[in-house]
Amino acid sequence: MPGHWSFDELKRHVTNGEIDTVLACFVDMQGRLIGKRFHANFFVESAHDETHGCNYLLANDIDMEPVPGYKAASWKQGYGDFVIKPDLSTIRHIPWLEKCALVLCDILDHHHHEDLAHSPRAILKRQLARLKERGYLAYFASELEFYLFDETYETARAKHWKGMATASPYIQDYVIQMTTKEDAVMRAIRNGLFDAGIPVENSKGEWGPGQEEINVRYAEALEMADRHVVMKNGCKEIATQMGKAITFMAKYDYSLAGSSSHVHNSLWSADGKTPLFFDKKAEHTMSPLMRQWVAGQLKYADDFTYFLAPYINSYKRFQAGTFAPTKNVWSLDNRTAGFRLCGEGTKGIRIECRIGGADLNPYLAFAGLIASGLAGIDEKLELGAPFQGDAYGGTRLKEIPKTLRDATDTLARSRMLKEALGEDVVEHYVHTAKWEQFEYDRRVTDWELHRGFERY
């Protein structure tokens, strides 16, 4: 695979003068790459072992403002350091940045050098350790949808993010002639990501004007989450270099299709060779293990919806007739349901969770899906019959949480997640969600100005 390098290969490229910058990045609660740009010589000589950063970076909001009330970091505690520990197995070339390589990092406690439990990568690694204990390997794939604009971020900001020109004025789902006009950007994204060691399969137009989707090959869960965050960051950087803007908001315009991140997941043997979800003699070729896994995800979907929909805006995506789900049901190849069976009759059989938006943090989303799936196995849950028909019209079906407040309350009450992730971890993200709600509730919106500016 082009782009992936060992540490020895990185040192050789640095010595040859082909690389002069190394990005040492970790993932924050919002799923963004946070870190430092190292002079490559210093990185290979010293900083490859560890560096440090302020612990407020996992205790702030999307605007990078410190949020009061966290146990893990606060003004009272003085906002000290944590350790940023490069995972040298994640080194990759970043071809769209000049002479640049990137390494993803784990976050460790500054004193005892163990994984910081509330860091997103550590949360997923804890669930993968639970799988490993049972002899399971999880394969995941996350699709990403986004809107591409014939705007720069500066012109979009000047327009107050209203009336922006999308790359196409028409719905372009799968339409080649429409997406050809945008392929200068999309080709640069496909090739750039591939050369960075991310195996891109395809891109396509989506169900919105100027909306795109990019798909990459499935991988072991941690590798897939790593690909997801590098891919998302790369798409924005490449678009910016070409004078364009991209948004991964779940619902940037209420009248247009939302942007999803559907997550496919399955269990395999520890060596990754035997599919544990496939039973050619079983109904729908779903093994008993798969049925329990899916039943757990259905039972606990409300508990981890926050990990799939982390913002106020996320819940505006859940609208009937938009290919975004509103009901927590499973189905056979039915895009109106929250969970869809894919690959029936093949070794690639898997369940697709359609609840998540493109704004999700993949480490948290994957961890929630694994924790709930394991709960289904431990509880030996029975999976009911698949839903048939239009789930949007099913008035008696279980609803996906309608608001962030609803999802936060369910997360706060979740005994399953507290046991699987740790009570302090759940409390940390409940506090994050409540701050998002607080910030929204106290702001004056355009709707309020429109109604009240001249009227009272």
Side-chain angles (χ1 to χ4, degrees):
M1 173 60 61
H4 261 303
W5 290 341
S6 68
F7 186 51
D8 285 341
E9 288 174 314
L10 173 63
K11 288 193 287 187
R12 185 171 70 249
H13 290 299
V14 172
T15 299
N16 293 341
E18 297 163 349
I19 294 294
D20 62 22
T21 300
V22 176
L23 299 175
C25 304
F26 67 92
V27 177
D28 70 0
M29 294 191 296
Q30 290 76 25
R32 301 174 296 193
L33 294 185
I34 304 291
K36 302 179 181 180
R37 281 178 157 82
F38 281 96
H39 192 286
N41 281 296
F42 180 73
F43 182 85
V44 299
E45 290 171 2
S46 175
H48 67 273
D49 185 47
E50 67 177 53
T51 184
H52 302 84
C54 179
N55 63 18
Y56 99 107
L57 292 166
L58 289 176
N60 57 17
D61 63 12
I62 198 168
D63 294 320
M64 301 299 290
E65 291 291 343
V67 174
Y70 282 109
K71 289 183 179 179
S74 65
W75 291 114
K76 184 177 181 179
Q77 297 172 39
Y79 285 120
D81 271 359
F82 51 43
V83 175
I84 302 172
K85 178 74 172 177
D87 179 346
L88 299 181
S89 70
T90 68
I91 298 169
R92 65 181 75 234
H93 180 216
I94 300 298
W96 59 88
L97 298 179
E98 186 176 4
K99 294 188 175 183
C100 186
L102 179 147
V103 62
L104 292 170
C105 304
D106 291 310
I107 303 300
L108 311 182
D109 183 273
H110 188 54
H111 302 287
H112 52 64
H113 277 61
E114 294 179 358
D115 278 336
L116 207 61
H118 60 276
S119 64
R121 209 163 187 261
I123 290 172
L124 177 55
K125 286 168 64 181
R126 178 171 176 175
Q127 299 313 301
L128 297 180
R130 295 179 67 209
L131 289 176
K132 186 176 181 180
E133 289 172 356
R134 302 161 188 248
Y136 302 150
L137 178 77
Y139 281 133
F140 273 68
S142 51
E143 307 165 4
L144 266 175
E145 298 171 0
F146 56 88
Y147 278 86
L148 175 64
F149 298 93
D150 282 336
E151 305 271 358
T152 65
Y153 287 106
E154 290 73 22
T155 62
R157 193 181 311 119
K159 292 181 176 181
H160 302 285
W161 303 278
K162 301 289 180 64
M164 295 177 293
T166 52
S168 167
Y170 307 108
I171 294 175
Q172 56 188 37
D173 200 9
Y174 290 90
V175 180
I176 294 297
Q177 184 268 330
M178 289 277 92
T179 53
T180 294
K181 299 186 302 179
E182 301 144 21
D183 204 47
V185 176
M186 294 309 299
R187 179 172 179 268
I189 287 173
R190 290 193 305 270
N191 291 338
L193 293 176
F194 185 85
D195 289 343
I198 298 175
V200 174
E201 294 183 342
N202 60 72
S203 65
K204 58 177 279 293
E206 253 300 332
W207 201 57
Q211 192 181 31
E212 314 283 348
E213 178 180 306
I214 190 158
N215 294 296
V216 303
R217 185 170 176 77
Y218 70 88
E220 184 276 326
L222 185 63
E223 168 64 19
M224 186 64 233
D226 290 347
R227 290 177 183 177
H228 183 116
V229 294
V230 174
M231 177 167 59
K232 198 170 181 180
N233 189 75
C235 286
K236 295 191 111 174
E237 289 181 338
I238 292 167
T240 299
Q241 291 170 352
M242 302 182 74
K244 308 293 183 181
I246 279 175
T247 185
F248 290 95
M249 283 183 69
K251 198 73 171 177
Y252 102 89
D253 186 318
Y254 195 73
S255 66
L256 300 178
S259 290
S260 306
S261 180
H262 302 147
V263 180
H264 298 249
N265 56 103
S266 61
L267 292 184
W268 291 63
S269 59
D271 61 6
K273 295 180 179 179
T274 304
L276 303 182
F277 279 4
F278 178 61
D279 183 345
K280 64 181 179 181
K281 295 181 180 180
E283 185 180 18
H284 308 305
T285 62
M286 297 172 70
S287 70
L289 184 76
M290 181 179 189
R291 297 184 70 85
Q292 292 174 346
W293 178 268
V294 175
Q297 293 185 347
L298 286 167
K299 177 179 178 179
Y300 292 108
D302 287 4
D303 293 44
F304 65 89
T305 291
Y306 168 73
F307 291 153
L308 300 168
Y311 303 108
I312 293 287
N313 178 260
S314 307
Y315 296 82
K316 298 178 180 179
R317 178 176 146 265
F318 300 134
Q319 294 183 39
T322 66
F323 293 103
T326 60
K327 303 297 195 305
N328 178 18
V329 294
W330 83 282
S331 65
L332 305 177
D333 198 18
N334 182 336
R335 285 180 168 85
T336 70
F339 293 84
R340 179 172 75 114
L341 181 68
C342 300
E344 180 180 353
T346 74
K347 292 182 179 180
I349 191 169
R350 59 200 183 275
I351 194 70
E352 175 195 38
C353 176
R354 298 179 57 81
I355 298 172
D359 53 353
L360 61 72
N361 182 326
Y363 301 91
L364 304 181
F366 294 4
L369 287 162
I370 292 170
S372 60
L374 285 176
I377 293 171
D378 290 345
E379 296 172 28
K380 296 180 171 56
L381 295 179
E382 297 281 342
L383 181 65
F387 176 82
Q388 297 181 26
D390 181 1
Y392 294 126
T395 55
R396 295 186 178 182
L397 300 177
K398 185 179 179 183
E399 297 270 358
I400 291 169
K402 294 181 180 295
T403 66
L404 177 63
R405 186 176 280 110
D406 292 341
T408 305
D409 290 344
T410 309
L411 174 64
R413 295 193 302 267
S414 177
R415 175 50 52 189
M416 182 277 291
L417 285 178
K418 288 176 182 177
E419 292 176 356
L421 308 184
E423 291 199 22
D424 287 345
V425 170
V426 171
E427 182 180 341
H428 190 89
Y429 284 90
V430 166
H431 188 72
T432 305
K434 287 182 175 179
W435 183 263
E436 163 80 4
Q437 187 73 54
F438 168 73
E439 285 286 88
Y440 175 80
D441 288 344
R442 73 185 183 132
R443 292 175 188 267
V444 176
T445 66
D446 289 348
W447 176 74
E448 290 173 277
L449 290 171
H450 174 72
R451 292 175 68 240
F453 191 76
E454 294 185 33
R455 295 177 183 161
Y456 60 89

